[in-house]
Amino acid sequence: MSTAPPTDLFGYTELLSDLERAKLQSLRDLLEERARPHLTEWWERGESPAHLRTEIAALRLEDDPALLGDDGRPSPFYVGFKHFEFARFDTSIGTLYGGQVGMFRTVVQEGGSPEQVARWDPLIPSFELSGCFALTEPQHGSDVAGGLETTATREGDTWRITGHKRWIGNAALSDVILVVAKDAADGRAKAFLVPRTAAGVTLTDIGGKIALRMVRNADIVLDDVRVAESERLQRIESFRDISAILAKLRYVIGWNAAGLQTGAYEAALAYALGREQFGRPIAGFQLIQEKLTRMLGNATATLAMAVRLTELAERGPLGDEHAALTKTWAADRARETVALGREICGAEGIRVDHDVARYFADCEALYTFEGTHEINSLIVGRAITGLSAFTR
């Protein structure tokens, strides 16, 4: 084998237009030039390359008029392959950028009033207004819908927010924190744009991570923080509204899992082609080829599931079980894929210099966020049996 086989064996990139492919190639070129030489250093130091946000934003991946359809948005397959491309390169950098233009922007677009969207949305793609989404709490992750403890109390046109959020990505790099809190009056979830520097807001970086080391996840304590009613997202009146918004983002997890596996496969293949033992590249040994085949198969199957999930998200019907099955299955396959890559690289597979180690570590975060394996399995189980195994 003198060259790598194509990783898109089934031609899914044909779903993209020439313009969309060119736009994603410009992203790949920028990441290779501006980030590749520094990845190991950033990873080892746990440093978030915040400067890349504006450089990537300058590519206009989100708001280039030539990319936008009649609804004013890029095609869902372009959005999916954009997530794929980031995850293929590095999940931390994908989170640095995607947490802003994906999660934060979507909640603003779907949860804000027309006036709020008109005011804030144009500033988000360029990072003129940067933000993060704060939902998870120290004692509430999977059960946060019913266990939300952060509270908001209204006093005229002002709200007082008190509570504690955890694992909030990009918080220290954001101008505003989109905080989900329980209305003390009616017990329903509301959402507020809280300035990061507001009185009563305390941020502490979470250290000691083995995954997503370049993402600045934070603990956030809110102690009687004052926020104007005008900063409350006006179309979010309950957790049901939050869930409906997040449902629009669920298809992304398949693309992230496919991209991460493709990156691990490409890194392992490059190593196998360059590493010689017994007088020839180890890529020529049967057992190594079997591992590479399984890696490529897992990545390809995950991409196929991501494509179909995206079709369902656009045309329907898309149930909770579709996204849940994609997440739990794709994350399982990703764990297998990165483990095979580490095996191919032997001792060098635990060194971040060879990239496989980054994918190996970051896969553990992918396995947990966007719903754990256990919770997603119960969602699918409820759909296929008609019986709920959830306990309270």
Side-chain angles (χ1 to χ4, degrees):
M1 294 177 66
S2 58
T3 59
T7 55
D8 182 21
L9 293 182
F10 289 80
Y12 288 112
T13 51
E14 294 175 11
L15 294 166
L16 299 173
S17 68
D18 290 342
L19 174 64
E20 289 169 335
R21 279 192 287 268
K23 184 67 75 171
L24 294 178
Q25 184 62 52
S26 71
L27 170 62
R28 180 178 293 196
D29 292 343
L30 183 147
L31 292 175
E32 289 294 335
E33 177 184 351
R34 301 289 295 149
R36 177 72 68 188
H38 311 289
L39 277 178
T40 297
E41 177 187 359
W42 291 338
W43 194 91
E44 295 230 38
R45 291 166 49 181
E47 178 183 342
S48 185
H51 64 280
L52 286 179
R53 298 182 303 176
T54 52
E55 295 184 37
I56 297 171
L59 298 176
R60 302 197 70 181
L61 301 175
E62 318 299 324
D63 57 351
D64 184 337
L67 291 173
L68 306 182
D70 294 338
D71 61 354
R73 302 187 183 195
S75 78
F77 290 117
Y78 166 79
V79 174
F81 271 108
K82 181 190 66 178
H83 285 282
F84 175 95
E85 195 62 42
F86 273 112
R88 173 189 167 274
F89 186 80
D90 183 81
T91 306
S92 289
I93 293 177
T95 302
L96 176 69
Y97 182 78
Q100 164 90 359
V101 303
M103 180 70 77
F104 175 65
R105 189 184 191 195
T106 299
V107 178
V108 169
Q109 287 178 331
E110 300 295 328
S113 67
E115 295 76 17
Q116 289 175 324
V117 174
R119 177 168 31 128
W120 294 325
D121 185 65
L123 306 177
I124 296 176
S126 63
F127 287 82
E128 292 176 73
L129 174 69
S130 59
C132 59
F133 182 60
L135 174 61
T136 303
E137 300 183 349
Q139 301 303 321
H140 300 286
S142 298
D143 71 342
V144 71
L148 196 63
E149 293 186 18
T150 300
T151 59
T153 304
R154 185 166 183 174
E155 298 176 347
D157 289 333
T158 301
W159 293 81
R160 293 188 295 106
I161 303 175
T162 296
H164 191 174
K165 299 296 183 178
R166 184 166 173 81
W167 289 114
I168 310 307
N170 300 333
L173 305 175
S174 297
D175 300 319
V176 295
I177 303 165
L178 207 167
V179 175
V180 178
K182 180 171 63 177
D183 187 338
D186 61 17
R188 295 184 176 183
K190 305 292 193 297
F192 306 84
L193 261 62
V194 178
R196 175 177 53 83
T197 57
V201 175
T202 303
L203 270 68
T204 305
D205 278 348
I206 297 174
K209 299 184 299 176
I210 66 166
L212 300 183
R213 286 181 52 79
M214 290 184 279
V215 176
R216 292 186 65 180
N217 294 95
D219 259 337
I220 304 175
V221 175
L222 303 116
D223 184 10
D224 200 31
V225 178
R226 307 284 177 135
V227 180
E229 164 66 10
S230 61
E231 305 303 299
R232 181 180 71 83
L233 296 186
Q234 298 296 306
R235 287 191 287 169
I236 294 177
E237 297 290 350
S238 68
F239 202 88
R240 185 183 297 273
D241 296 330
I242 296 284
S243 295
I245 294 171
L246 296 182
K248 296 179 179 293
L249 295 166
R250 286 185 188 135
Y251 75 94
V252 169
I253 189 62
W255 295 95
N256 286 334
L260 182 143
Q261 291 179 79
T262 299
Y265 163 76
E266 291 174 344
L269 176 60
Y271 180 85
L273 289 168
R275 170 68 166 169
E276 291 193 2
Q277 291 287 276
F278 306 104
R280 60 181 175 140
I282 63 171
F285 293 119
Q286 292 179 356
L287 292 179
I288 297 297
Q289 291 188 0
E290 189 274 341
K291 293 179 192 295
L292 289 168
T293 299
R294 285 164 62 192
M295 294 179 74
L296 181 58
N298 285 346
T300 301
T302 301
L303 180 57
M305 190 172 275
V307 168
R308 181 55 180 158
L309 190 67
T310 302
E311 291 176 338
L312 291 175
E314 281 296 292
R315 304 171 189 170
L318 176 65
D320 289 342
E321 65 273 18
H322 295 107
L325 181 61
T326 299
K327 168 62 198 310
T328 191
W329 185 87
D332 266 347
R333 298 288 70 74
R335 260 186 166 180
E336 179 184 47
T337 299
V338 298
L340 289 167
R342 201 222 59 78
E343 291 172 14
I344 288 171
C345 295
E348 293 298 318
I350 66 171
R351 295 185 63 248
V352 71
D353 283 348
H354 292 289
D355 292 330
V356 170
R358 280 189 300 105
Y359 298 112
F360 184 88
D362 286 345
C363 188
E364 288 305 293
L366 181 141
Y367 187 81
T368 298
F369 62 49
E370 301 292 339
T372 64
H373 171 80
E374 292 78 11
I375 293 296
N376 279 303
S377 296
L378 294 183
I379 292 172
V380 177
R382 181 177 60 193
I384 62 181
T385 67
L387 302 171
S388 177
F390 285 95
T391 58
R392 293 185 182 274

